[in-house]
Amino acid sequence: MKEFYYRVASSAETGAGQPLEILFAGEGQTRPGHRIGPKVYDFYLLHHVLSGRGRFTGGGAEHELGAGQSFLIEPEQLVSYEADRADPWAYRWIAFRGPWAAEAASAFGAGRTVADTGRSRRPAAALRLAMDALRQPAGAQLAAAGGLQLALGEIARACARRDEPGDAPGGAEEDNALVRALLRLLSTQYAEPVTMEGIAESLGYSRAYLSRVFKRHTGATPVSYLLRLRIDKGRLMLRERKDLTVEQIASSVGLQDALYFSRQFRRFYGESPSEYRQSVWGS
């Protein structure tokens, strides 16, 4: 039996004329069969499903929705939504209005009010950011609007993938894009103290899923790929930067332990960094 909960944060700055005004944001685990409507709202209301299932009815269409999917309620549109009786949904939501609201809502695409972001955790994280921001005494509207726009940005990307021939949310093309994004991230941040947990969070996926997809495409785990990338970069610096010590080079490629760098260098290349440097420079 899922434990029911309901949390909401409201803005104390409403009515201040923001172009994208956030009214409130919240999250909840619904009870079996919990139903809202039919009714109309005078603002936009975005829901993102975290788990479970439910049904959204609006615009003359009925949609069965589950985890990773979002639905948008537009102003003055008659809608209803209901949690599944066997597996009631949990979701996060955010209400907004203002001169920019319609343009922001266009992330779903013309005439559409449902989107599927698959396994991405970004929409849920962005809506939690917005809810937390509304509890702050200052800057609540700016931060909450930022959270909304992050969520809508991810929805827009998912909708664009959906409209490309041959692409399917959560399918091969999404996995290819994920691997490309991870390769770019590793190639630009190898010198930083990055962790796989942090990388997974920034990309919006679990570490286990990220590692599984990456290994399927490259034959290596992200951890082993990053280590090899660092050692290869270090080898290049040993060849090109005679003015730097082995310790300085190790630090420059993101490895603070020079002894560990030397051991891994020998494992990959069969000689120590000093021996390699001597073979290149002859002294």
Side-chain angles (χ1 to χ4, degrees), residues 158-204:
C159 291
R161 289 194 298 267
R162 173 194 59 197
D163 293 338
E164 292 174 0
D167 290 357
E173 181 58 29
E174 181 178 332
D175 287 348
N176 288 335
L178 175 59
V179 171
R180 290 194 297 270
L182 182 51
L183 287 171
R184 286 195 301 271
L185 191 153
L186 294 177
S187 66
T188 56
Q189 298 191 35
Y190 68 88
E192 303 300 320
V194 296
T195 65
M196 287 314 303
E197 289 79 6
I199 289 174
E201 182 178 356
S202 71
L203 293 175

Side-chain angles (χ1 to χ4, degrees), residues 117-140:
T117 51
R119 289 177 287 258
S120 175
R121 296 182 179 182
R122 290 178 179 175
L127 293 182
R128 179 57 186 269
L129 183 154
M131 184 176 69
D132 291 344
L134 292 177
R135 296 193 175 105
Q136 302 303 312

